Amino acid sequence: MTNIAYDRREQLQQIQSGLLDGEQVIAVYDAIGAGTGFIGLTDRRVIIQDKSFIGKKYAITSIPYAKITSVSVVSNKSWGGSFFSTGAIAIHVGTHTYEVEFRGDKKSHHVHNVILHYIS
């Protein structure tokens, strides 16, 4: 098994429990802010845990890379600053956008680059 980047073991185990045959986990990162619990990246798809449902329900959403139209770095800074100055990305799938915020910019940089690799 390759070296998997992750923040919390229980999140990694949750992703691993739902893998398809031959699917490999690349990273699982804890997310901050409203709605999102974590994001998982495999060699086939992006997996997002969404906690924004009413009644303490949550959804695990799988997004095949082929369905992602673009990935954005979300920043509240002007372009004079660093490209990855904040820790948020937006994943565009058709008309829907999933926004995921992280602690620190290294995780958003890694997630952005992995998704870009698989969609380009």
Side-chain angles (χ1 to χ4, degrees):
M1 182 180 284
T2 57
N3 210 4
I4 300 169
Y6 66 93
D7 291 327
R8 296 187 181 169
R9 181 168 291 285
E10 64 271 15
Q11 293 171 343
L12 173 61
Q13 290 169 339
Q14 194 168 352
I15 295 288
Q16 288 173 325
S17 71
L19 292 177
L20 303 169
D21 284 343
E23 188 174 18
Q24 299 292 314
V25 177
I26 297 166
V28 181
Y29 292 128
D30 193 37
I32 60 174
T36 312
F38 61 81
I39 185 169
L41 302 171
T42 76
D43 58 351
R44 297 186 188 181
R45 59 190 162 137
V46 176
I47 303 164
I48 297 174
Q49 183 193 53
D50 186 347
K51 293 182 181 174
S52 63
F53 290 86
I54 296 170
K56 295 186 178 178
K57 295 178 185 172
Y58 64 91
I60 301 288
T61 303
S62 291
I63 309 163
Y65 288 115
K67 299 293 184 196
I68 298 173
T69 50
S70 64
V71 60
S72 306
V73 177
V74 180
S75 178
N76 55 8
K77 289 191 175 183
S78 71
W79 281 105
S82 170
F83 189 59
F84 289 96
S85 57
T86 61
I89 60 155
I91 301 164
H92 309 281
V93 183
T95 58
H96 190 83
T97 299
Y98 298 89
E99 192 171 325
V100 183
E101 192 175 349
F102 307 96
R103 288 175 189 84
D105 60 354
K106 285 185 171 59
K107 294 172 190 170
S108 61
H109 193 166
H110 185 228
V111 169
H112 176 271
N113 289 350
V114 169
I115 293 171
L116 197 59
H117 170 79
Y118 282 104
I119 70 172
S120 56

